[in-house]
Amino acid sequence: MNKIIEVSSLYKKFNNVTAVNGIDFSVNEGSLFAFLGENGAGKSTTIEILCTLLKSDGGEVIVDGYKLGREDDKIRNSIGIVFQDNLLDPLLTVRENLLYRGGLYKSKGKKLKTLVDNALEITSAKEFSKRAYGKLSGGERRRVDIARALMNTPKILFLDEPTTGLDPSIRKDIWDMINKLKKENNMTIFLTTHYMEEANIADFIVVMNHGKIIERGSPIDLKERYSMDLLKVKPKFREDVLYILNENNMDFFEDGEVFVVKLNSTLESIDKLKLFKDKISNLEVLNGTMDDVFINISRSVKQ
């Protein structure tokens, strides 16, 4: 698979603080790449460097085949950026904002109108395109922000906390749109997020801490290393189930009226349930989550 972003020994320092400390990673073309880390980890600094907004102090970056620092204009033409904060003029209408944005790419006339219409169509923002940006709801503004980022038909879309503060139903709509872009246009999505369920759908995840990469892998790989599947059983009679748990040396703990059994894999629950037979009244098998992964990685660094 082609690498659309390649980062080697990237370094950035602010006064006495090293924000990015010699990191290396790559992003596959057409993938959803999640960049995670606590506040101050170095994520934003790295992204600003990749997007040509900030100069590095060392290392090499290749974006869409172009070398950062030498071909920055070409890199800017290959990317779109959706920042967490709104950047458009609240007094202008949606269409007026996009027309202004398109003008920055030296588009005009019929070509510019086509770019705006396409961006509005893709993001389902045409119905409110005549309204002032400042009068839109949070979900509508986010659609327009993405439309703005699509004005130059980018190969790579950078999304910085794209759904922060939005209702779950609106977040789902936004992600349906993003996934459609990825699939139909083979667009590469570079994501930062605090919502671990969003990171869970990524093709690959990199986790940063204090300027360094501390973990990387697919969601499945990371969950295997840093989370645990659980079997929850509610006993008909506590002592009966407690005896079975102890007799079979199961790793468990009690949570109210429920016994929680730790599993090496989800499939392990099948054999364990045979032991309980008619001794339980209810059960639930839970897969490890990305929340578990992020928490456990963070704990491992602090220890």
Side-chain angles (χ1 to χ4, degrees), residues 270-281:
I270 297 173
D271 291 332
K272 293 191 182 301
L273 285 171
K274 292 177 182 178
L275 298 172
F276 296 118
K277 295 182 180 178
D278 58 350
K279 300 288 193 277
I280 59 176
S281 60

Side-chain angles (χ1 to χ4, degrees), residues 192-211:
T192 68
T193 182
H194 282 128
Y195 295 116
M196 290 301 103
E197 68 268 27
E198 294 181 349
N200 191 52
I201 64 173
D203 298 300
F204 198 82
I205 296 171
V206 162
V207 184
M208 283 193 73
N209 184 272
H210 295 299

Side-chain angles (χ1 to χ4, degrees), residues 247-272:
E247 185 70 13
N248 291 275
N249 296 315
M250 295 188 199
D251 190 358
F252 72 94
F253 60 92
E254 290 188 69
D255 183 11
E257 298 180 347
V258 174
F259 287 103
V260 182
V261 183
K262 298 178 181 180
L263 304 173
N264 294 316
S265 70
T266 307
L267 293 177
E268 189 182 356
S269 64
I270 297 173
D271 291 332
K272 293 191 182 301

Side-chain angles (χ1 to χ4, degrees), residues 36-38 40-42 207-214 298 301-302:
L36 306 181
E38 297 179 346
V207 184
M208 283 193 73
N209 184 272
H210 295 299
K212 295 182 178 181
I213 292 175
I214 55 173
S298 298
V301 172
K302 294 175 181 177

Side-chain angles (χ1 to χ4, degrees), residues 271-301:
D271 291 332
K272 293 191 182 301
L273 285 171
K274 292 177 182 178
L275 298 172
F276 296 118
K277 295 182 180 178
D278 58 350
K279 300 288 193 277
I280 59 176
S281 60
N282 205 344
L283 68 93
E284 184 179 12
V285 180
L286 301 176
N287 292 114
T289 67
M290 282 305 301
D291 286 298
D292 299 330
V293 169
F294 192 72
I295 291 169
N296 288 328
I297 289 176
S298 298
R299 285 176 178 170
S300 67
V301 172

Side-chain angles (χ1 to χ4, degrees), residues 176-190:
D176 286 345
M177 177 183 63
I178 293 170
N179 286 324
K180 185 177 180 181
L181 281 170
K182 176 178 176 291
K183 182 178 180 181
E184 294 183 356
N185 300 282
N186 196 38
M187 187 177 291
T188 304
I189 308 296
F190 192 113

